[in-house]
Amino acid sequence: GNTALASAVAQHDATIAELSRDHWTFCGAVYSEGVTDKWRANGTFAEMEKRLGYRFQLVSATLPGEANAGSAMPVELSRVNKGFAPMYNYRPVYLVLKSATDTYSLTLQADPRQWTAEAGTIVISDTLSLPATMVEGTYRMYLHLPDAYASLADDPRYAVRFANLNTWDPATGMNDLGASVEVSNRPSAISNQPVPVRAQKVIRDGQMLIIRGNKFYSILGQEQ
């Protein structure tokens, strides 16, 4: 009864702690059936399937609702690694702006190999330069971590999928940030005066969105 349950929980916790400490990345499917049977019984195996290697999860994003072509665009993204291990091979990190007809990939100053579980929540804060020739329009925003090799960079099967609900686009290998930016080729209508405190709250697809002035605050969906 309670003793057996307590023992199973203790075994689960001890195993997960060891896997995390030793940064497990792989485990063969035929690894010691006597051990894996216990792992299946106490829930360890299911957790291992999710956490072997790295498991990046978006926490929040602060993104502009409007921007000007040829100007700077500040962005801030928060993420955690819930996996047992870090990423070992380098990958570029792009913020992709995609409209119905045009796509722009902007390089973020970030190295995902440093996104370790021990680091906790890591904030990527960057100011990106929009091309002066950027076409006006509304652009959906995505986070894209393709393979570093040119021969694989355009293959969505090799891109990193974040562990969030309703963000993954399997056709492109990009993670939808749930926000759009209106890009124009004219001076911004928003002055340099302090933005009023008044904020608008919106619920969309189970997510809380807060719009304050010209900033778009998006609290992303739950972990899958």
Side-chain angles (χ1 to χ4, degrees):
N2 292 336
T3 301
L5 177 60
S7 176
V9 171
Q11 290 176 6
H12 167 272
D13 292 347
T15 303
I16 294 300
E18 180 178 341
L19 296 172
S20 181
R21 182 187 67 238
D22 295 338
H23 299 139
W24 278 49
T25 302
F26 304 103
C27 182
V30 294
Y31 175 83
S32 182
E33 290 185 4
V35 175
T36 55
D37 286 347
K38 290 182 180 179
W39 285 348
R40 286 186 172 88
N42 64 25
T44 300
F45 200 84
E47 187 168 347
M48 285 177 62
E49 287 184 309
K50 286 186 174 183
R51 298 183 61 190
L52 281 173
Y54 58 85
R55 181 178 173 84
F56 298 151
Q57 180 183 348
L58 294 162
V59 178
S60 65
T62 302
L63 304 162
E66 62 179 35
N68 290 315
S71 299
M73 186 180 78
V75 298
E76 187 174 284
L77 303 165
S78 299
R79 36 88 19 235
V80 292
N81 182 358
K82 291 196 171 184
F84 295 134
M87 176 182 284
Y88 294 113
N89 295 324
Y90 170 75
R91 283 175 181 264
V93 183
Y94 298 109
L95 180 72
V96 178
L97 306 185
K98 190 175 186 296
S99 71
T101 57
D102 298 280
T103 300
Y104 299 87
S105 293
L106 308 175
T107 303
L108 288 164
Q109 298 303 309
D111 185 346
R113 294 174 296 181
Q114 298 176 358
W115 301 351
T116 63
E118 293 81 2
T121 301
I122 292 180
V123 178
I124 303 172
S125 184
D126 204 349
T127 301
L128 303 173
S129 296
L130 299 184
T133 56
M134 192 169 181
V135 178
E136 285 189 317
T138 301
Y139 290 83
R140 189 79 170 177
M141 289 186 269
Y142 300 84
L143 192 60
H144 189 205
L145 278 71
D147 196 281
Y149 284 94
S151 59
L152 301 175
D154 293 329
D155 192 329
R157 296 174 299 174
Y158 292 89
V160 173
R161 177 178 180 174
F162 278 68
N164 295 83
L165 289 171
N166 305 319
T167 56
W168 179 244
D169 182 355
T172 62
M174 297 191 296
N175 300 275
D176 190 341
L177 293 173
S180 297
V181 59
E182 186 72 26
V183 176
S184 65
N185 284 311
R186 58 186 182 278
S188 175
I190 296 177
S191 70
N192 293 323
Q193 298 302 314
V195 176
V197 177
R198 180 175 58 84
Q200 177 184 2
K201 296 183 180 180
V202 180
I203 298 291
R204 187 177 70 202
D205 297 331
Q207 303 176 30
M208 172 66 78
L209 308 177
I210 303 175
I211 301 172
R212 180 177 287 112
N214 67 328
K215 290 289 185 181
F216 189 104
Y217 295 78
S218 172
I219 299 177
L220 298 169
Q222 297 179 345
E223 178 183 7
Q224 63 177 357

